[in-house]
Amino acid sequence: MLSSLALGDGNNLGTADGRIALDCSIRETRQGHYVISTTDFFFPLVDSPYLQGRIGAANVLSDLYAEGVQHCDFVLMLLAASLDMTPQDRTICTNLMVRGFRDACTEAETTITGGQTVLNPWAIIGGVATSVVTRDEYVSSDGACVGDVIVLTKPIGTQIAVNVHEWRKRHEKKAKNGDTTGDKNWNKILEQNKNGDEFLTVSESEIMMHAAVRSMSKLNRFGSKLMTKHNAHAGTDVTGFGLLGHAQNLMDNQIAKVGIELHTFPCIANTLKINDNIMNFRLRDGYSAETSGGLMISMTEADAIAYCAELREVETVAYNYNTSSDAGTDFGPWIIGRVVESADRKATITEDAVYLEV
């Protein structure tokens, strides 16, 4: 479609001549700087309007961070206040969404300078993020080389965690209203629980959702800040197309004829059993959609090892990962694949791929 409108080449090969590719628009100004900008918005996937706002901001900023941009200069807010809520509920929820969005932008050390507000059946929040940089202040998305490895900074499985949470909440709501039919998918989990050891407890489903929310609401800013320091060759972030989908998008944009072999899938604990036994979200196939996912970065193995070590150290301090409740938890990042020669620029999964519970 973009090709027919002269807005793309149909293959996402590069961003020259105004073509559209990957995460951001990157354009050189008349003054010799580069304007990097992106836009995104977020539908309700969580119970808390505050967290929805925070995830919405993390989601839009992530596209800038995928380019190795260390600082976002300003953000415009896109806001839809819900027509389907009562005026009182709309006021409360919209206020909290904006507060969550603002707090995430404050953490990112950027400023909201304006935006656009509409009325809409669903409450939606997002924005336009912009940064003005010199050429050495961002990472081009097209420089992956044979021999590079692929780093991922957040686990996958958020779509499954959010859905399990929704199934349970719907089941409990029906029970409260005297409806004994429950939710069909949560009923499948209850049936699995009857077959011996508990398949998934309510507590485990809550922990799964908590892990997903922590991941979705965490900014990719530290991962981005270290990309130029550790000589990243290319990067993107993992969102709606899933791990393999975004790996393929990344390869479609490379100058060299290279592909990716994914060998490790770090999954939020218990999401794999849901995928394998309750509903196939294509998590093992690499196509389970993610929201505000991690950075996927191509760099040499030596640089990747140093990058992962420093990012773990920085985020452990920043997010207080040494608390007793986090003991033994693997927050990443992980080396998940390698860049290989590929005339077709294909991203694939190795036959012996490892699926981690993190």
Side-chain angles (χ1 to χ4, degrees):
M1 185 187 70
L2 294 177
S3 180
S4 70
L5 297 172
L7 288 173
D9 58 13
N11 296 304
N12 286 342
L13 297 178
T15 56
D17 304 321
R19 292 180 298 198
I20 296 171
L22 275 185
D23 302 297
C24 289
S25 166
I26 304 176
R27 304 301 298 164
E28 187 174 4
T29 69
R30 296 188 306 275
Q31 297 78 18
H33 287 75
Y34 291 82
V35 174
I36 302 181
S37 60
T38 185
T39 185
D40 210 338
F41 54 86
F42 181 57
F43 291 89
L45 287 180
V46 292
D47 296 332
S48 162
Y50 176 85
L51 286 173
Q52 183 190 344
R54 181 173 178 84
I55 294 168
N59 203 37
V60 66
L61 289 167
S62 183
D63 285 338
L64 281 188
Y65 293 146
E67 308 292 345
V69 173
Q70 298 195 19
H71 180 74
C72 174
D73 288 317
F74 64 93
V75 176
L76 301 174
M77 186 186 298
L78 303 175
L79 178 67
S82 174
L83 279 169
D84 285 356
M85 292 181 180
T86 66
Q88 182 181 15
D89 286 348
R90 179 167 59 244
T91 298
I92 293 169
C93 288
T94 305
N95 181 289
L96 286 169
M97 285 196 307
V98 172
R99 183 181 299 177
F101 192 96
R102 180 204 62 190
D103 286 356
C105 288
T106 299
E107 181 183 328
E109 299 179 332
T110 190
T111 303
I112 302 169
T113 62
Q116 174 75 335
T117 303
V118 298
L119 290 170
N120 187 70
W122 280 26
I124 301 171
I125 193 164
V128 180
T130 302
S131 187
V132 181
V133 298
T134 61
R135 181 59 192 89
D136 60 354
E137 290 180 317
Y138 76 93
V139 175
S140 176
S141 58
D142 58 8
C145 303
V146 173
D148 281 0
V149 298
I150 301 298
V151 171
L152 181 68
T153 63
K154 291 184 184 181
I156 60 175
T158 56
Q159 182 185 35
I160 296 175
V162 167
N163 273 271
V164 170
H165 179 74
E166 180 63 23
W167 299 341
R168 182 174 65 83
K169 298 286 283 189
R170 190 183 299 125
H171 187 90
E172 292 173 350
K173 183 177 180 180
K174 283 188 173 183
K176 186 177 180 180
N177 294 331
D179 185 344
T180 59
T181 60
D183 177 83
K184 65 177 183 179
N185 291 306
W186 188 255
N187 284 336
K188 291 179 183 178
I189 292 174
L190 295 178
E191 284 298 318
Q192 290 280 353
N193 286 345
K194 294 178 181 177
N195 295 332
D197 294 335
E198 280 201 283
F199 177 75
L200 184 78
T201 66
V202 169
S203 176
E204 286 172 333
S205 73
E206 290 176 342
I207 291 170
M208 186 195 309
M209 181 61 174
H210 182 63
V213 170
R214 284 182 79 165
S215 176
M216 292 187 294
S217 61
K218 184 175 79 170
L219 299 176
N220 279 321
R221 62 190 294 249
F222 293 119
S224 176
K225 285 186 174 184
L226 295 175
M227 284 174 66
T228 52
K229 177 180 178 180
H230 293 282
N231 309 305
H233 294 154
T236 187
D237 63 342
V238 180
T239 52
F241 297 128
L243 192 61
L244 184 62
H246 284 284
Q248 184 60 61
N249 284 352
L250 186 60
M251 291 301 97
D252 285 339
N253 281 272
Q254 298 312 301
I255 296 172
K257 292 184 178 181
V258 293
I260 286 178
E261 292 180 348
L262 296 173
H263 55 63
T264 302
F265 283 58
C267 304
I268 294 172
N270 291 311
T271 56
L272 283 167
K273 65 166 65 174
I274 299 297
N275 182 83
D276 296 344
N277 297 282
I278 305 299
M279 180 182 290
N280 184 7
F281 289 87
R282 304 187 72 190
L283 183 64
R284 290 188 184 273
D285 301 327
Y287 290 116
S288 182
E290 304 298 327
T291 296
S292 187
L295 301 180
M296 180 189 291
I297 308 166
S298 177
M299 54 179 64
T300 69
E301 185 171 9
D303 284 329
I305 292 171
Y307 173 91
C308 290
E310 185 169 0
L311 182 56
R312 285 192 194 100
E313 182 179 351
V314 169
E315 291 195 336
T316 295
V317 174
Y319 299 120
N320 198 24
Y321 285 161
N322 285 325
T323 61
S324 59
S325 61
D326 291 329
T329 303
D330 184 2
F331 291 98
W334 305 268
I335 294 175
I336 64 163
R338 52 185 171 263
V339 177
V340 297
E341 290 186 11
S342 175
D344 298 327
R345 294 187 167 91
K346 290 297 182 184
T348 59
I349 302 172
T350 63
E351 290 185 2
D352 59 347
V354 175
Y355 294 82
L356 306 175
E357 296 258 353
V358 301

